[in-house]
Amino acid sequence: MSNGDSASTVFGELRIAISEHYGWDFLRSKKITAITLSEARAKQLEGLYAYEKDHQFKMKITRDGTRFNVLDMARDNLMAFVATEEDTLIELEGGADVTIETNDKGEITAVIWRGLYRFERI
């Protein structure tokens, strides 16, 4: 049992254990190939982003070598990502994808969480 907004790690581990125990093909490992973004692109990606429909929900992206740390500020949840394409990050633990949105000049304007939630650069 879990009573909190940051229980996704526990739930993920439970899904994996149950799937393995019963031989279910419930969760498959996802093989990813990380790439290194250019220094300029990686630096531009760092910063603060707010959910377009409610700016109280923010995320902060920082860099640690070739990894990107995404802090969900509303839940105080830190997640590690790597770039798999010039415009895509993948979460190392859960496989969530983040698409990087750019304008005509190539400037990063937003990130889109799992194709559903758009966070504007602020």
Side-chain angles (χ1 to χ4, degrees):
M1 181 183 299
S2 177
N3 186 18
D5 289 336
S6 298
S8 60
T9 302
V10 173
F11 293 143
E13 292 296 324
L14 283 171
R15 283 192 295 265
I16 291 168
I18 292 167
S19 181
E20 287 177 356
H21 177 76
Y22 289 104
W24 296 342
D25 194 13
F26 189 58
L27 292 172
R28 290 184 186 202
S29 297
K30 183 189 266 187
K31 185 175 181 179
I32 60 171
T33 303
I35 66 166
T36 302
L37 296 180
S38 70
E39 179 64 24
R41 178 79 159 179
K43 188 173 183 172
Q44 187 186 40
L45 182 58
E46 292 183 286
L48 196 58
Y49 298 80
Y51 181 47
E52 69 179 343
K53 295 183 180 180
D54 187 345
H55 277 216
Q56 77 173 347
F57 296 104
K58 295 183 177 89
M59 68 169 60
K60 183 177 183 181
I61 300 177
T62 57
R63 189 169 32 140
D64 183 11
T66 57
R67 289 187 179 187
F68 293 90
N69 293 315
V70 177
L71 175 62
D72 175 349
M73 298 172 77
R75 294 182 180 92
D76 195 30
N77 185 24
L78 185 64
M79 299 157 282
F81 286 75
V82 293
T84 56
E85 297 177 39
E86 283 294 313
D87 66 348
T88 306
L89 302 177
I90 300 290
E91 182 191 10
L92 293 175
E93 189 174 306
D97 63 288
V98 170
T99 305
I100 301 167
E101 181 182 283
T102 56
N103 63 16
D104 301 359
K105 299 174 187 173
E107 301 165 330
I108 296 173
T109 55
V111 292
I112 303 168
W113 185 267
R114 292 185 179 251
L116 300 171
Y117 308 103
R118 186 172 180 274
F119 286 79
E120 301 167 325
R121 185 173 185 79
I122 55 173

